[in-house]
Amino acid sequence: VNDTVETTTNEIKKVETIQKEVVQNTTAVVTESTTMSVDRMIHDFGEIGDDKPVSTTFTITNTGDKPLILTQAKGSCGCTVPTYPKTPIAPGGTGDIEVSFNPKGKTGAQNKTVTLIANTTPANTVMNVKSVVNKIAQ
């Protein structure tokens, strides 16, 4: 029983050491922090019909001195879909975040968010898209 406990304890220590090394190396290589700006934080589509999707483009700028790496962009629901640059943006460079909103099945005031996750502090940047959806007679 003591051999089993000691072996299990040693294996746990090995796993913990590997996890720390991975986290430390990942932090050093991937998350050198930089800064970014967004051309606007809110886009208002105004009054739209529920019959077709609308889209807009936000422009981000790397305002820091390290490459800007976007690791994820996610909408607050399945009706809000962002696409984002998958390659690093050089210092001073820009990139486009295209956001599509599908109003099908929605009516009234809508306020959706898009969260960007990047090597910035803080890591999350939240932008909003809003509209008033009117039902189109079929």
Side-chain angles (χ1 to χ4, degrees):
V1 171
N2 283 342
D3 286 343
T4 303
V5 170
E6 187 174 320
T7 301
T8 303
T9 303
N10 287 337
E11 290 302 313
I12 291 171
K13 286 180 183 174
K14 285 179 192 173
V15 169
E16 288 173 350
T17 301
I18 290 169
Q19 287 173 337
K20 284 179 189 172
E21 287 172 3
V22 168
V23 168
Q24 287 169 350
N25 289 335
T26 301
T27 301
V29 173
V30 175
T31 61
E32 287 186 326
S33 190
T34 192
T35 56
M36 76 172 173
S37 65
V38 182
D39 64 340
R40 66 199 185 287
M41 299 309 289
I42 299 172
H43 180 79
D44 189 346
F45 289 113
E47 289 196 29
I48 61 173
D50 68 347
D51 58 337
K52 61 183 174 225
V54 291
S55 64
T56 188
T57 301
F58 292 87
T59 300
I60 58 171
T61 302
N62 181 348
T63 56
D65 59 3
K66 304 282 188 236
L68 173 62
I69 301 167
L70 296 172
T71 55
Q72 192 172 20
K74 53 186 177 178
S76 55
C77 71
C79 63
T80 307
V81 180
T83 57
Y84 63 98
K86 306 291 192 282
T87 57
I89 299 170
T94 62
D96 289 336
I97 310 293
E98 185 173 326
V99 179
S100 297
F101 170 65
N102 187 347
K104 185 176 182 177
K106 308 218 178 316
T107 55
Q110 303 293 313
N111 187 10
K112 306 300 179 186
T113 62
V114 172
T115 303
L116 301 179
I117 301 171
N119 61 327
T120 54
T121 303
N124 294 351
T125 301
V126 180
M127 301 165 317
N128 291 69
V129 290
K130 59 184 188 173
S131 62
V132 176
V133 179
N134 296 312
K135 183 110 178 108
I136 301 295
Q138 305 260 338

